[in-house]
Amino acid sequence: MASHPRNRNLPHLPRRLAIKACASGVLLCAFGFDAPAWAQQPLALSTAINRAGRLRALSQRIAKAYAEMVLDVMPDRAQNVMATALGIVKTNLTELGRAGFSADMAGLLNVCVADAGRLSGLVAGAPAAARLADVNKAAEQLLASADRLTGELENRGKSSAKIVNIAGRQRMLSQRMAKSFMLIEAGQDAAPLRKQLDTARGEFTAGLGALEAAPVSTAAIKQDLQQARTQWMFYQSALDGKGRATARRDVATTSERMLEIMDNLTSGYDAALKELLGSMAYPAVQYAAL
């Protein structure tokens, strides 16, 4: 019997695995992302947490940049920020799609892909104040689905991998604060956004303290933590500048600098854990149980 044409590239996989592999790539293809390579490329668990966790920050960064364009806050720069963020979303989803996730994890990943596609569609074209609420809603949906995926990855690893999640969450909070600020400035519903901003500020302060107290450290991590503490003072001052002519620009620039520092920190913890724990990969051998 001739093999099904869709399975000709999968000659060595069991039929049920081939079907599952095709299904897990459907949403990736549908929204323009590369389908998972059949030759799986397992990630170190800390790296998978890093990649999934970055999606949380990118969801808020995209919405922040869109609001900046609506507000005409360095619009060319904001356009570049948004385009870069969308590109990183695509890259991270593709990389995670090749990691050999089990069926339940692939399902969580596909929800992220669908949410990313929705957000990408909303921010396409000329920025419009009328779409701000929908863009924010889509960003919150991607944040929630990425957080579920990140949490599940953390739960399946060693407890020490939690530090990567904490550092990664700081990236998200750095962008969430700026996004909330810009949406308030753009005239969106101020009460819930002000609460969101205040909550994020408190959580960021607590997270920074947790990172400073963590036993996992290197010289580079210590330097980045010092920079983060200094930048946090500048960032808080910018966030308190509501009504000042330069407040929007200050928040836009300091939030990007804080994101850069926190991204370096997350990568630093990822590298330190790989050295400490070895390259504990998300096991593609889970498929053997099928």
Side-chain angles (χ1 to χ4, degrees):
M1 180 182 296
S3 61
H4 193 288
R6 290 190 179 181
N7 290 341
R8 285 174 183 165
N9 293 327
L10 306 171
H12 302 298
L13 296 181
R15 183 174 180 273
R16 283 179 294 171
L17 176 53
I19 292 172
K20 192 189 81 168
C22 290
S24 68
V26 167
L27 282 173
L28 287 168
C29 295
F31 289 103
F33 300 108
D34 296 333
W38 306 127
Q40 295 163 10
Q41 302 171 19
L43 298 173
L45 182 62
S46 59
T47 301
I49 292 171
N50 186 359
R51 298 292 185 270
R54 183 180 285 157
L55 296 172
R56 300 176 299 192
L58 293 167
S59 72
Q60 304 300 287
R61 191 184 187 201
I62 290 166
K64 175 197 76 172
Y66 189 83
E68 288 172 359
M69 288 189 288
V70 169
L71 290 167
D72 201 31
V73 178
M74 297 179 288
D76 291 341
R77 179 179 181 274
Q79 176 66 51
N80 288 336
V81 165
M82 189 172 72
T84 298
L86 288 167
I88 299 172
V89 167
K90 178 178 179 178
T91 298
N92 283 9
L93 287 171
T94 298
E95 188 173 358
L96 289 166
R98 293 171 175 163
F101 285 165
S102 56
D104 55 342
M105 295 294 294
L108 291 175
L109 176 60
N110 278 340
V111 174
C112 291
V113 173
D115 290 341
R118 186 178 303 109
L119 179 58
S120 178
L122 283 168
V123 299
R131 287 208 302 272
L132 274 173
D134 288 338
V135 167
N136 185 43
K137 181 179 179 180
E140 292 297 290
Q141 289 173 334
L142 177 55
L143 169 61
S145 59
D147 198 47
R148 286 193 296 271
L149 177 61
T150 307
E152 188 60 30
L153 284 167
E154 182 190 323
N155 290 340
R156 298 189 179 201
K158 296 184 178 180
S159 59
S160 53
K162 182 177 181 180
I163 194 68
V164 177
N165 192 3
I166 294 174
R169 195 165 189 274
Q170 293 292 94
R171 294 179 299 198
M172 180 276 290
L173 292 169
S174 76
Q175 299 306 288
R176 190 168 180 78
M177 289 181 281
K179 180 209 72 173
S180 300
F181 180 93
M182 294 297 175
L183 288 174
I184 292 170
E185 291 288 297
Q188 297 296 297
D189 194 353
L193 288 168
R194 173 55 60 184
K195 181 179 180 180
Q196 186 179 97
L197 173 55
D198 291 342
T199 299
R201 288 180 74 162
E203 290 177 350
F204 189 90
T205 299
L208 195 55
L211 293 176
E212 290 170 335
V216 178
S217 187
T218 64
I221 286 174
K222 290 178 181 178
Q223 182 178 358
D224 284 336
L225 283 171
Q226 290 175 347
Q227 291 180 348
R229 182 60 72 177
T230 300
Q231 186 65 20
W232 183 221
M233 290 189 295
F234 291 127
Y235 195 5
Q236 291 195 86
S237 178
L239 290 169
D240 289 334
K242 182 179 179 181
R244 293 206 310 256
T246 59
R248 296 175 184 178
R249 179 184 291 265
D250 290 344
V251 169
T253 55
T254 55
S255 67
E256 284 295 304
R257 176 57 180 149
M258 182 60 80
L259 174 62
E260 179 185 0
I261 294 170
M262 297 314 305
D263 198 42
N264 288 340
L265 265 171
T266 308
S267 296
Y269 284 117
D270 180 7
L273 281 177
K274 284 178 185 174
E275 183 174 347
L276 180 66
L277 303 175
S279 56
M280 177 184 169
Y282 188 89
V285 293
Q286 288 188 28
Y287 284 130
L290 296 178

